[in-house]
Amino acid sequence: MYTAFMTTPERLIEATQELLWERGYVGTSPKAIQQAAGAGQGSMYHHFAGKPDLALAAIRRTAEQLRAAAEASLGSGGPARARIEAYLLREREVLRGCPLGRLTMDPEVMASEELRAPVDETIDWLRGRLAGIIQEGLDSGELVGPLDPVEVAATIVATVQGGYVLSRAAGSPAAFDTAVRGLLALLSPRPA
């Protein structure tokens, strides 16, 4: 997890990212963060004003990483459907769920405009990015309508997030895979 070259703030942020994903904000204590990062209380409070400040840095980092992973598929060029398929089929830790989606279930994150902002911004970015690709597919004739790009983008995001939930509930990634295959079938051109 950590390398010898990581600074204390980097170790604290990375440990917080993992703990937020695993336990959520409420279940992540400063002591757990310090233990996971191998940092003392003084180090944590030297670099961050407190748990909310450190959590915000970790949530922002997670959001950046998720955007980069999505963009690697969505920005790869090529046909719209192929880019959406690459995004949907990319490697994921399905049984762990989405690290940002997990935070939407945390009442303290949702109650804090500051902590919630990177989550909202990332989901909005993803929906907008997907809607743009769907519009490209419609414009080129690759995707056939009537499709509303905004609605289809919201459906893609909902399918991914719902797939995580169903897979976690079942203890198997099969539910995620089934949802993705079903969505891709709906995006396939229909024979005339």
Side-chain angles (χ1 to χ4, degrees), residues 9-10 12-14 16-17 20 25 47-65 114-115 118:
E10 288 298 316
L12 287 163
I13 290 170
E14 191 169 305
T16 303
Q17 284 182 274
L20 288 172
Y25 184 84
H47 296 290
F48 300 95
K51 178 181 165 182
D53 185 42
L54 178 52
L56 180 59
I59 293 168
R60 284 181 177 153
R61 174 80 52 85
T62 298
E64 290 168 9
Q65 291 169 341
E114 190 172 34
L115 293 176

Side-chain angles (χ1 to χ4, degrees), residues 46-131:
H46 173 74
H47 296 290
F48 300 95
K51 178 181 165 182
D53 185 42
L54 178 52
L56 180 59
I59 293 168
R60 284 181 177 153
R61 174 80 52 85
T62 298
E64 290 168 9
Q65 291 169 341
L66 288 177
R67 283 184 189 201
E71 188 58 32
S73 300
L74 298 173
S76 62
R81 188 184 182 287
R83 292 166 30 205
I84 292 168
E85 182 175 353
Y87 166 73
L88 289 169
L89 297 177
R90 75 177 172 80
E91 186 81 21
R92 300 170 195 272
E93 294 185 61
V94 173
L95 294 179
R96 286 189 76 191
C98 175
L100 281 185
R102 164 81 171 86
L103 296 174
T104 66
M105 305 306 265
D106 198 307
E108 288 192 35
V109 171
M110 291 296 96
S112 167
E113 286 186 34
E114 190 172 34
L115 293 176
R116 190 179 69 240
V119 176
D120 291 343
E121 290 163 5
T122 301
I123 292 169
D124 289 345
W125 171 85
L126 181 57
R127 282 192 304 241
R129 187 72 173 99
L130 287 164

